[in-house]
Amino acid sequence: MKIHEYQAMEIFARYGLPVSGFDVVTSPEEARAAAEKRGGSVVVKAQVHVGGRGKAGGVKLARDADEAERLAEGILGMDIKGLTVEKVVVAEVVDIDREYYIGIVVDRATKKPVYMVSSEGGVDIEVVASETPEKIHKHPVDPERGLSDAEAAELAAKIESEPSVAAQVADAILKLYAAFVGSDASLAEINPLVVTSEGVVRAIDAKMNIDDNALYRHEDIAAMRDTSTDTAELTKARELGMSFVKLDGNVGCLVNGAGLAMTTMDLIKQYGGEPANFLDVGGSSNSDKVATTLEIITSDPNVRSLLINIFGGITRCDDVARGLVHALERVATDVPIVVRLTGTNAEEARRILAEHDLMTADTLDEAVEKAVVLAGRDS
Ligand code: GDP
Ligand code: MN
């Protein structure tokens, strides 16, 4: 799950990172009041789930409260990479001397968190990584032992030579790691971590992605979810406890079990089709759930055929078939449906589906092939 800069700042502050004072506002008037409180000169920052806000015009410096109000007016409602700005942060301005990058990501190859630090902060780190990779220092962290003071000091020394500043950088490196682990983050980064003209280290940007599977043990972070940009389908699927990911293809998929859903998508590709979504309906497939998933999938105008692939283990195929028949009474759709049910009570299920003129397939290959052909047909 992505969280906003201001939310990551709140978490960073809890771990003692040197973040700037700020307020989150939703109107120009509030921005003015927040600027007045901080003595007038502030930085106004769009809160959207994308990077590069600065370049897109979503981060601006204001000299006084008047200007803060005007800038907030311009930034609120602005479109940044397809996202509408609904909130802005009004933060204390920092006098920047130099900008660094520090960040941690989980690296699948080494199965460890990898710390990255660079003296090239404030700019797009992906650009630094591709053009001047030697300027990014990487350090895999042993997750069992954690990050030691010595390791942090060593990393800090790679980007900062002045001892009193390097000590502050090392401290920030340790605290960011603590925030990363403590929040079950998959990414935590400060870009830029700045050194002020007085030699003080400050975090003026914050980014964190949280592992969805760990949200159950972070109620406070789970509550940070911003659903304003979620589609209605996604929200519905989440409420029902299903995993739903929208994709760009035209073959809708309704499958039980994440592994089976993956296999189904692979097969669709193999038969020359493109899946319209990933959807794991989970264990029990009552008619209510099936109806909702049908609504979710067929509300996508790209969907030209729907493949239902259910393995009946504990879930009984005849239950799913009945659920589907009921669901189709509720959800009107022209999208052709191919059903492949196998496992417990599959015979009975096929009989029910045949009675209602639903297209079935005996094997998964046959079902996928049919669905792909139907999706590719001109209509
Ligand atoms: P991003 O573009 O989404 O990464 O947003 P940032 O929060 O990193 O802001 C972009 C840039 O604005 C930073 O790299 C800084 O150069 C500048 N900036 C942000 N806050 C301040 C500030 O308090 N003082 C000054 N002088 N510049 C700032
Ligand atoms: Mn930044």
Side-chain angles (χ1 to χ4, degrees):
M1 181 181 88
K2 288 182 179 176
I3 59 175
H4 287 295
E5 175 192 26
Y6 75 89
Q7 296 166 325
M9 284 283 191
E10 280 165 16
I11 296 175
F12 286 2
R14 273 187 240 152
Y15 284 87
L17 277 156
V19 300
S20 301
F22 69 87
D23 291 285
V24 188
V25 304
T26 54
S27 74
E29 298 72 41
E30 287 174 299
R32 157 183 286 278
E36 270 163 4
K37 190 173 90 183
R38 301 202 182 274
S41 67
V42 287
V43 47
V44 182
K45 312 176 82 177
Q47 298 299 293
V48 278
H49 286 157
V50 287
R53 296 163 302 163
K55 263 195 226 148
V59 177
K60 297 240 164 81
L61 299 181
R63 272 156 305 187
D64 53 39
D66 266 348
E67 196 177 4
E69 181 174 353
R70 252 187 298 120
L71 291 175
E73 193 170 359
I75 295 174
L76 284 163
M78 182 188 247
D79 184 282
I80 300 182
K81 299 180 187 169
L83 298 171
T84 307
V85 181
E86 284 170 358
K87 288 185 180 139
V88 292
V89 151
V90 176
E92 211 180 310
V93 168
V94 174
D95 191 6
I96 301 174
D97 183 59
R98 36 197 199 273
E99 302 183 293
Y100 298 140
Y101 170 95
I102 68 172
I104 311 149
V105 289
V106 174
D107 179 51
R108 284 167 177 246
T110 53
K111 298 177 186 167
K112 283 176 180 166
V114 172
Y115 225 119
M116 289 178 287
V117 304
S118 176
S119 54
E120 304 296 299
V123 292
D124 198 344
I125 199 66
E126 280 79 20
V127 174
V128 181
S130 72
E131 287 172 11
T132 47
E134 71 281 1
K135 289 191 173 150
I136 299 180
H137 306 278
K138 292 189 179 178
H139 177 75
V141 183
D142 181 337
E144 295 283 323
R145 276 194 306 111
L147 188 74
S148 70
D149 292 358
E151 285 173 295
E154 222 172 281
L155 277 169
K158 300 233 195 270
I159 54 175
E160 173 61 48
S161 53
E162 202 177 308
S164 70
V165 180
Q168 296 175 64
V169 173
D171 186 54
I173 286 173
L174 284 169
K175 285 171 175 164
L176 182 65
Y177 188 75
F180 172 84
V181 173
S183 312
D184 286 310
S186 53
L187 175 150
E189 100 187 349
I190 303 175
N191 186 24
L193 179 76
V194 304
V195 183
T196 68
S197 42
E198 281 99 42
V200 176
V201 168
R202 288 280 278 274
I204 67 164
D205 190 7
K207 184 172 173 184
M208 253 189 158
N209 294 346
I210 310 294
D211 182 346
D212 286 304
N213 295 317
L215 284 174
Y216 74 95
R217 56 183 188 189
H218 301 283
E219 234 175 86
D220 54 334
I221 302 177
M224 291 179 176
R225 188 186 291 282
D226 179 356
T227 53
S228 66
T229 55
D230 287 352
T231 57
E233 298 90 78
L234 189 64
T235 309
K236 255 198 244 171
R238 192 181 294 129
E239 277 165 11
L240 289 167
M242 302 185 284
S243 312
F244 176 80
V245 182
K246 189 179 157 6
L247 301 165
D248 296 328
N250 57 11
V251 182
C253 311
L254 193 165
V255 189
N256 67 337
L260 189 59
M262 295 286 207
T263 309
T264 308
M265 290 164 61
D266 282 350
L267 271 176
I268 290 173
K269 288 239 178 201
Q270 198 171 307
Y271 278 95
E274 287 291 335
N277 65 279
F278 167 92
L279 175 69
D280 170 12
V281 287
S284 73
S285 311
N286 58 50
S287 67
D288 229 27
K289 225 170 165 182
V290 176
T292 309
T293 48
L294 275 179
E295 274 168 357
I296 293 172
I297 296 173
T298 57
S299 67
D300 176 352
N302 290 337
V303 170
R304 302 282 305 277
S305 71
L306 172 58
L307 174 60
I308 299 181
N309 184 18
I310 302 286
F311 176 79
I314 295 167
T315 310
R316 284 167 39 194
C317 292
D318 56 325
D319 275 350
V320 177
R322 274 187 214 101
L324 181 60
V325 169
H326 282 300
L328 284 169
E329 283 163 7
R330 243 177 68 188
V331 186
T333 176
D334 299 334
V335 174
I337 300 174
V338 184
V339 191
R340 182 252 182 178
L341 291 165
T342 191
T344 316
N345 294 0
E347 287 305 317
E348 173 70 359
R350 253 176 246 141
R351 197 187 52 74
I352 297 167
L353 295 172
E355 259 172 34
H356 292 83
D357 291 328
L358 276 156
M359 207 182 312
T360 56
D362 293 333
T363 67
L364 181 51
D365 280 273
E366 185 193 333
V368 171
E369 196 170 5
K370 275 187 183 167
V372 170
V373 169
L374 286 165
R377 237 183 8 171
D378 293 328
S379 63

